[in-house]
Amino acid sequence: MKTINFGIDLGTTNSLIARYSQGKTEVFKNPVGFKETLPSCVAFRGERIIVGDKAREWVQKDPLNVFSAFKRKMGTGEKYFIPAKLESISAIELSAMVLRELKNFIYSGENPESMVITIPASFDTVQSNATKQAGYQAGFKEVVLLQEPIAASLSFFNNRAQIDQGKWLVYDLGGGTFDAAIIEVVNGEMKVLDHQGDNFLGGVDIDHIMVTELLIPKLIELSGKPDLADHIATRNGPYERLYYILLQKAEECKKELSSQLVSEIDFTFEIPGEAPMDIFMEIPRSEFEILIDPIISNSTGMIAELLERNELESKDISEIILIGGSTLIPLVREKLESEFEIPLNYSVDPTNAVAIGAAYYAGTKMARLEEKTEEQEQGQEIPDAPLLEFKLAYNNSTRDNEEYVKAVILGKNPAVFYRILRQDGGYDSGLKQLKGNDFGEFVSLREQTVNVFHIRFYDENQNEIKTGSNKIEITQGLYSLYGQPLPEDICLEVDDLENNTTICELVFKRNSILPLSKTIYKEISRTIKTGEKDSIIINLLEGDHTTHPNANKIIGVIEIANDKLNGQVVRGSEVEIKIEISESRDVHVNATILFTNQEFSEVFSPTEKYVSISKLKEEIIQLRDEFEIALHKAADDEDFENAQHIMNSISDLDNLQKDALKLRDGDLTDTRYQLEEQKRKIAKHYYNTRGKNTRVQSEMMEYTDSRNAIRNWLDTIDDIPEDLHKRFDKITEKEHDILKSNSYFLIKSQNNALNRLAWRMILKSAHLTTTYFHIYAEKDETEFTNYSLAKKAISRGEKALDRQNFIELSSVLSELMGLSKSSQAEYFIKGTGLG
Ligand code: ADP
Ligand code: MG
């Protein structure tokens, strides 16, 4: 078994490849030109594909056949048209070309099959999957993703002589994305506490705004062409190439302004059908700073938010670690210093820190591919049920040359001997006699690497006893990683029939450490009958669980149409949904409809998110309609506070609409993604503040009522199973924060959790089953959807009660629940079918 060792920083502007070997990292250099960085830029010249510096230079000559900053389009499904080839290409394919080019940097001739590739911390599932896809297309068989701020920190901490404890802030302003992360180090183990970022904030935005706000107005003035602005950012106009030329000029000028107070731009302006014109402009740093101030403030604002959200003050942060080429801009440093008064640390090279960190990580990460083949070679099989179970205690990261490993055998102990072996054979405890149920050993470690050990147990005849996983990994001399956090909440869309809407139910909270796995039980919210077209929808979302599902992104959907079901599924019956997310963000969903005993499963590896301009415009109009209706209602109810909130949302939406209307089909800037993001933010804000006072209040009251009622059951009824007591404690443990949040959706989902628990108690406690059976049995005809079925069920229930068969009674009760009309007999939305 080997470590991966190779890491790639696949940047928006620049990409790098590095290797880890025996405690050291090395950034490979381009065999042509000997630079570490490869511009993430691809040019097409006839049949030739050029990647890197040469491609960048080609922009001046043939901009339409040169592509860059495509990382920002990862996961969008957008295609780039290549005039030279009359074909289109995706951001994934372009990225794969950059990755393949980087492989040529490896002078040793190795051909790694496993690769660590870095992604911004804020990359969502779709973008992460798109990155992996690019890796596979480039020929890697295994791609391990690593978040960039973690990579930068690994390089920062592994380069420091002393061992530090505390909290740091990583500020990474690169070409395309901004990422900020709070990193905590305890005993050599690094952990990301929280992060904040924007996938559309970086150096290329600065270049873009320089072109539109500085260069074009100056150019219009100099050339006397007032229609220039209209033509410039669209394809097929008379000034096709001009935008790209100006972008490159802007970038050069920007870089110069990092070290000079004034920068000059000169170039030849080619006007179709006219004589070319020589253009000369002077840009002072002060003018540049006024222009970019809002962009930089946007980034520092996110840091302020990040600190506040984590209840941290400047004094709690040791240093700000600066990463990314755009941190070379003096204004960035000035603003950070004056706003936070936290010392800035420039000790790592802002351009290669991420690649070096990726290599460090790769040096501690086992290649899975090889692991598999090795096990196959050895013909090992996975034991069905282990005959011996044990627990281990050890530090998985240390600076010492040996580490104490303690083992405790749990339950029955058939072992007489044990043995600890280091994978490379450099350490062997030998066969040792077990005394009692535990033992401890000092194991010796190789320096600056991961040490893999196997712990084995033997019976009195020295035959090995099957155990569960017996492998441990201890990293010597390097900072290890506590794990990578999930960037956003993962939730499930469920029905809220009472309010004729759907809500998010939290599955995994943001910042939970990957990999994650959870099984949840949902109830079917309406009977799914055979015949009429109907389905159960499992919609997995990513975003903020306290908002409306519409304001979140979709990871994947399993739609179970009724014609796939073996018969009808009654309301109130359960669906078991198991959701797993791997460290590299593969999402696996498995749903079992318990009523028909059917299983549906799907792996979500979405690599595309498409923003259609026409759909975006349509959604804005729809949202506006919804806001208007709500506004009228609020005005009728004389709920002026709420009306004010809605009016604010309408005005935000109107501004957005203005920008959206300016977008033409074929627009080639990133504006559509920015506007789509804004739309989601407005929707989120609206759903979070709407009707806050009245609806939140009533939801809170309902919650306290149900909580008190259930607490009373738990105190007075003694046949409620212990696990439901625990479940109640678990649900109510968070109640303080949830009630304080004042979020309707959050309190609503807390209420739902409590209601579901109540029903489980009713069905699991003979006492409650009996009570509720009587309540249902006494309901009259009008309260059931099918009274003859209800009557049959009631008579079966009475017999079950006579025989004291509570299992039967509880199944009758759930049938009656399914047959009873809901208090709101009609509802308008179809919903998901999950309650
Ligand atoms: P990425 O990680 O997105 O590939 P980098 O960290 O390599 O990006 O940073 C590239 C960005 O930094 C580009 O937008 C580039 O224009 C900008 N940049 C590089 N050097 C300077 C400089 N001296 N002053 C200002 N910006 C710079
Ligand atoms: Mg970067």
Side-chain angles (χ1 to χ4, degrees):
M1 190 161 52
K2 274 208 274 198
T3 43
I4 295 177
N5 294 342
F6 288 88
I8 286 177
D9 169 8
L10 183 60
T12 312
T13 331
N14 295 305
S15 297
L16 299 90
I17 181 166
R19 177 180 57 183
Y20 175 86
S21 169
Q22 295 175 348
K24 292 198 174 58
T25 55
E26 171 187 23
V27 182
F28 289 105
K29 291 196 171 76
N30 195 338
V32 188
F34 281 99
K35 268 168 61 182
E36 286 181 350
T37 51
L38 176 75
S40 310
C41 191
V42 180
F44 295 87
R45 285 190 69 183
E47 283 307 298
R48 284 214 304 144
I49 298 170
I50 311 165
V51 182
D53 289 294
K54 283 269 176 308
R56 242 177 103 84
E57 286 162 20
W58 196 247
V59 166
Q60 298 276 358
K61 298 209 182 66
D62 184 14
L64 297 188
N65 283 305
V66 182
F67 303 91
S68 60
F70 36 81
K71 180 173 173 177
R72 300 174 69 154
K73 304 269 170 87
M74 284 300 257
T76 62
E78 186 156 319
K79 295 276 186 190
Y80 294 84
F81 180 71
I82 314 166
K85 298 185 76 179
L86 295 176
E87 343 177 312
S88 293
I89 192 166
S90 68
I92 294 178
E93 289 168 291
L94 288 165
S95 302
M97 290 170 178
V98 172
L99 293 172
R100 252 183 247 125
E101 187 73 16
L102 285 172
K103 273 209 257 184
N104 296 333
F105 288 25
I106 309 173
Y107 60 84
S108 57
E110 287 159 280
N111 185 14
E113 290 198 323
S114 302
M115 184 60 72
V116 171
I117 300 180
T118 60
I119 50 169
S122 44
F123 254 26
D124 59 27
T125 307
V126 171
Q127 294 164 310
S128 305
N129 277 304
T131 307
K132 260 187 300 181
Q133 189 63 35
Y136 298 140
Q137 278 192 19
F140 302 124
K141 298 214 169 68
E142 179 188 9
V143 175
V144 173
L145 300 179
L146 175 68
Q147 292 166 340
E148 283 158 20
I150 299 180
S153 316
L154 280 172
S155 120
F156 176 77
F157 288 109
N158 280 319
N159 274 326
R160 272 159 96 92
Q162 75 273 35
I163 303 172
D164 294 295
Q165 306 263 30
K167 296 188 182 72
W168 278 261
L169 196 125
V170 178
Y171 176 99
D172 181 352
L173 189 62
T177 50
F178 168 66
D179 258 322
I182 302 172
I183 307 280
E184 181 173 41
V185 180
V186 180
N187 297 330
E189 201 171 60
M190 240 179 60
K191 186 174 169 181
V192 177
L193 289 187
D194 199 0
H195 76 91
Q196 178 92 1
D198 190 328
N199 291 336
F200 288 96
L201 177 71
V204 298
D205 295 297
I206 295 178
D207 304 343
H208 176 71
I209 191 174
M210 281 176 81
V211 171
T212 55
E213 306 293 319
L214 276 184
L215 307 194
I216 291 180
K218 280 186 204 271
L219 194 57
I220 289 176
E221 211 178 286
L222 292 170
S223 68
K225 300 255 169 236
D227 59 344
L228 212 55
D230 283 343
H231 291 301
I232 214 129
T234 43
R235 223 159 242 188
N236 307 323
Y239 304 105
E240 279 185 343
R241 294 170 45 188
L242 185 61
Y243 176 68
Y244 299 93
I245 296 174
L246 291 180
L247 265 186
Q248 216 164 46
K249 293 287 167 196
E251 193 192 358
E252 282 163 18
C253 167
K254 168 187 79 174
K255 287 187 185 169
E256 245 175 44
L257 289 175
S258 288
S259 53
Q260 287 167 212
L261 291 173
V262 184
S263 166
E264 292 163 0
I265 294 182
D266 65 73
F267 66 100
T268 312
F269 177 30
E270 284 166 28
I271 310 161
E274 287 177 38
M277 189 183 218
D278 285 327
I279 299 289
F280 176 80
M281 313 175 190
E282 266 191 348
I283 312 281
R285 189 193 277 176
S286 54
E287 205 175 323
F288 169 72
E289 290 188 339
I290 292 170
L291 182 75
I292 65 163
D293 196 274
I295 295 183
I296 313 301
S297 296
N298 194 351
S299 78
T300 53
M302 281 191 244
I303 293 185
E305 225 179 286
L306 182 65
L307 292 177
E308 198 190 310
R309 188 166 68 217
N310 289 279
E311 290 169 9
L312 292 170
E313 291 172 32
S314 293
K315 65 168 170 43
D316 302 320
I317 306 290
S318 308
E319 285 164 318
I320 299 181
I321 307 166
L322 294 179
I323 306 287
S326 301
T327 57
L328 295 167
I329 297 173
L331 185 70
V332 170
R333 301 180 170 202
E334 281 160 27
K335 276 190 111 70
L336 282 173
E337 260 165 353
S338 68
E339 283 181 34
F340 301 105
E341 293 176 342
I342 301 170
L344 302 184
N345 187 311
Y346 328 96
S347 65
V348 290
D349 181 340
T351 53
N352 69 16
V354 170
I356 290 176
Y360 273 120
Y361 183 65
T364 63
K365 195 83 193 164
M366 294 295 160
R368 286 270 189 88
L369 288 169
E370 310 210 2
E371 189 177 343
K372 219 182 265 167
T373 51
E374 189 188 40
E375 273 171 12
Q376 281 159 357
E377 270 166 21
Q378 294 180 357
Q380 284 181 6
E381 47 191 273
I382 294 139
D384 307 331
L387 297 172
L388 181 151
E389 285 184 64
F390 64 105
K391 235 170 56 185
L392 294 169
Y394 59 97
N395 286 316
N396 55 15
S397 161
T398 176
R399 302 231 155 194
D400 297 334
N401 288 328
E402 47 178 26
E403 173 63 26
Y404 190 66
V405 177
K406 186 166 166 60
V408 181
I409 293 161
L410 308 168
K412 202 173 80 160
N413 177 12
V416 178
F417 304 102
Y418 69 90
R419 182 176 185 178
I420 304 182
L421 280 151
R422 202 170 77 199
Q423 180 127 317
D424 63 333
Y427 167 85
D428 183 352
S429 68
L431 205 61
K432 289 207 170 167
Q433 187 101 34
L434 244 173
K435 300 183 190 80
N437 276 345
D438 56 12
F439 64 87
E441 286 289 336
F442 278 100
V443 298
S444 84
L445 302 171
R446 277 187 308 153
E447 280 183 26
Q448 302 268 324
T449 190
V450 194
N451 291 264
V452 180
F453 295 91
H454 290 277
I455 290 119
R456 302 208 162 116
F457 295 90
Y458 303 85
D459 63 15
E460 70 276 10
N461 301 322
Q462 300 191 10
N463 291 322
E464 194 177 341
I465 299 170
K466 281 186 177 179
T467 62
S469 167
N470 68 346
K471 190 180 85 181
I472 61 171
E473 292 174 10
I474 301 175
T475 306
Q476 200 282 342
L478 295 171
Y479 278 85
S480 70
L481 190 60
Y482 179 70
Q484 300 195 59
L486 190 67
E488 290 175 290
D489 294 338
I490 301 291
C491 36
L492 190 70
E493 180 176 12
V494 298
D495 296 345
D496 172 9
L497 298 181
E498 221 173 283
N499 292 297
N500 198 29
T501 184
T502 60
I503 57 172
C504 292
E505 179 169 315
L506 183 67
V507 180
F508 301 118
K509 190 148 184 48
R510 76 191 291 267
N511 290 330
S512 306
I513 299 299
L514 296 161
L516 293 161
S517 165
K518 194 175 200 171
T519 303
I520 52 178
Y521 292 89
K522 297 303 307 170
E523 269 170 26
I524 297 291
S525 62
R526 64 184 137 83
T527 298
I528 309 288
K529 299 201 190 81
T530 46
E532 315 151 43
K533 208 167 177 268
D534 203 355
S535 53
I536 301 168
I537 293 169
I538 296 170
N539 189 15
L540 201 66
L541 300 163
E542 180 167 34
D544 175 357
H545 78 284
T546 66
T547 187
H548 190 275
N550 277 347
N552 284 331
K553 293 172 276 188
I554 296 174
I555 296 177
V557 184
I558 302 183
E559 186 165 359
I560 307 170
N562 54 358
D563 57 13
K564 283 190 226 147
L565 292 166
N566 302 334
Q568 99 169 357
V569 177
V570 301
R571 182 172 144 231
S573 62
E574 277 191 327
V575 187
E576 181 191 273
I577 304 172
K578 184 169 186 203
I579 300 159
E580 292 170 287
I581 306 184
S582 73
E583 192 169 10
S584 282
R585 313 275 274 280
D586 297 303
V587 181
H588 192 276
V589 177
N590 186 294
T592 310
I593 313 284
L594 298 173
F595 201 77
T596 58
N597 196 19
Q598 281 174 288
E599 212 177 297
F600 300 85
S601 77
E602 196 115 26
V603 179
F604 295 144
S605 45
T607 57
E608 281 191 8
K609 167 178 72 195
Y610 183 72
V611 177
S612 130
I613 293 179
S614 55
K615 182 162 177 287
L616 177 67
K617 290 177 182 167
E618 186 62 32
E619 279 172 349
I620 294 174
I621 293 169
Q622 271 176 17
L623 265 181
R624 209 182 180 292
D625 286 348
E626 190 180 335
F627 290 6
E628 288 283 353
I629 294 170
L631 181 62
H632 282 297
K633 180 155 189 328
D636 287 348
D637 296 351
E638 297 189 16
D639 180 354
F640 298 116
E641 192 181 337
N642 202 11
Q644 187 57 49
H645 280 308
I646 301 170
M647 256 152 32
N648 292 345
S649 296
I650 290 180
S651 122
D652 288 346
L653 206 59
D654 283 346
N655 286 333
L656 176 65
Q657 193 166 28
K658 268 189 220 131
D659 290 337
L661 286 175
K662 277 190 237 151
L663 273 183
R664 290 146 204 248
D665 286 333
D667 179 280
L668 45 86
T669 66
D670 293 336
T671 318
R672 63 171 72 181
Y673 302 105
Q674 286 157 338
L675 296 186
E676 206 265 342
E677 188 109 358
Q678 274 178 35
K679 182 217 76 194
R680 249 187 290 127
K681 276 190 187 143
I682 295 173
K684 186 169 147 180
H685 180 76
Y686 166 78
Y687 289 121
N688 281 355
T689 50
R690 170 182 70 159
K692 196 147 242 179
N693 299 329
T694 48
R695 291 175 64 198
V696 168
Q697 290 300 329
S698 76
E699 208 54 49
M700 273 189 191
M701 267 157 59
E702 192 186 320
Y703 174 75
T704 35
D705 286 351
S706 337
R707 184 247 280 133
N708 294 342
I710 296 181
R711 185 163 285 155
N712 189 33
W713 285 356
L714 291 172
D715 289 345
T716 55
I717 298 167
D718 43 17
D719 67 347
I720 296 174
E722 190 49 37
D723 61 317
L724 299 184
H725 280 258
K726 287 211 188 93
R727 178 85 196 123
F728 177 75
D729 292 342
K730 206 159 171 348
I731 293 173
T732 50
E733 160 183 280
K734 314 174 280 191
E735 98 184 353
H736 176 72
D737 289 338
I738 288 175
L739 295 180
K740 214 177 68 184
S741 77
N742 227 20
S743 152
Y744 168 75
F745 291 107
L746 211 55
I747 300 170
K748 176 81 203 167
S749 78
Q750 176 82 351
N751 248 339
N752 286 350
L754 218 49
N755 283 335
R756 280 194 304 275
L757 178 66
W759 278 113
R760 277 169 70 185
M761 287 182 179
I762 291 169
L763 294 175
K764 292 270 159 68
S765 140
H767 179 94
L768 286 171
T769 308
T770 313
T771 312
Y772 274 79
F773 171 70
H774 287 308
I775 293 175
Y776 274 84
E778 278 156 28
K779 284 186 187 237
D780 66 36
E781 191 168 347
T782 57
E783 291 184 73
F784 291 101
T785 49
N786 182 335
Y787 191 52
S788 76
L789 279 182
K791 269 201 307 200
K792 278 186 201 145
I794 292 170
S795 95
R796 263 194 298 128
E798 275 157 358
K799 284 187 197 124
L801 199 56
D802 287 345
R803 292 196 308 271
Q804 297 282 294
N805 183 346
F806 294 108
I807 294 173
E808 167 81 12
L809 188 64
S810 126
S811 110
V812 168
L813 180 58
S814 65
E815 199 176 330
L816 286 174
M817 277 154 53
L819 288 168
S820 102
K821 287 183 185 164
S822 76
S823 46
Q824 267 72 33
E826 47 183 328
Y827 44 85
F828 309 100
I829 60 148
K830 188 100 189 171
T832 59
L834 297 176

